Amino acid sequence: MKYTFFVIAFVVFASSAFSQESEKAAVRVPLENYLKAHATGDPAYARKAFNSVGNMIWVKDGKYSIESFDHFITRAFTGKPAADEAQRKDHRKIESIDIAGNAAIAKIVLDYPTVKFTDYMTLLKIDGEWKIVNKSYCAEPKGSK
């Protein structure tokens, strides 16, 4: 009887852990596409990452600003990598992912030669697919060396 209980408990725990890791891998898909968009400048990766409706939000010089994903993608991803991509390529990482049901948040750091961006992404699972629905960020300019 005890053996059966422990086997059932182990199976439930193992399947739950596997499910969580599987879901985390699915959340990483749009985040990795976002990083590929930065690496290549290709807007197609950004469009795969972001939901068709969503916004980017930031505060600069004390002023709250908002931009649609469509405008951001058109402005930021020109089809070519940044001129200093060689110095950027190893400085992008997904620092954390937290999932609750069909909602998730992620922290991404882009530590570039002249600025460090910290992005907070809100993601939702829509029709079985994770998409970024909101991006808030902080840009910390670096002093000259």
Side-chain angles (χ1 to χ4, degrees), residues 98-120:
D98 186 26
I99 305 167
N102 65 352
I105 57 169
K107 178 180 178 182
I108 294 178
V109 174
L110 310 166
D111 194 359
Y112 294 157
T114 60
V115 64
K116 178 182 175 184
F117 293 101
T118 303
D119 296 341
Y120 291 96

Side-chain angles (χ1 to χ4, degrees), residues 48-113:
K48 289 179 187 177
F50 292 106
N51 189 48
S52 59
V53 178
N55 293 303
M56 185 169 74
I57 302 166
W58 70 99
V59 174
K60 184 176 180 180
D61 300 326
K63 182 182 174 211
Y64 176 87
S65 299
I66 189 167
E67 180 178 35
S68 72
F69 285 156
D70 189 54
H71 189 263
F72 166 62
I73 291 167
T74 301
R75 177 183 57 76
F77 302 105
T78 62
K80 295 182 287 188
D84 63 350
E85 176 55 27
Q87 289 80 40
R88 293 178 172 203
K89 68 180 181 175
D90 296 326
H91 300 280
R92 298 180 187 98
K93 63 182 174 180
I94 301 167
E95 286 210 344
S96 65
I97 296 172
D98 186 26
I99 305 167
N102 65 352
I105 57 169
K107 178 180 178 182
I108 294 178
V109 174
L110 310 166
D111 194 359
Y112 294 157

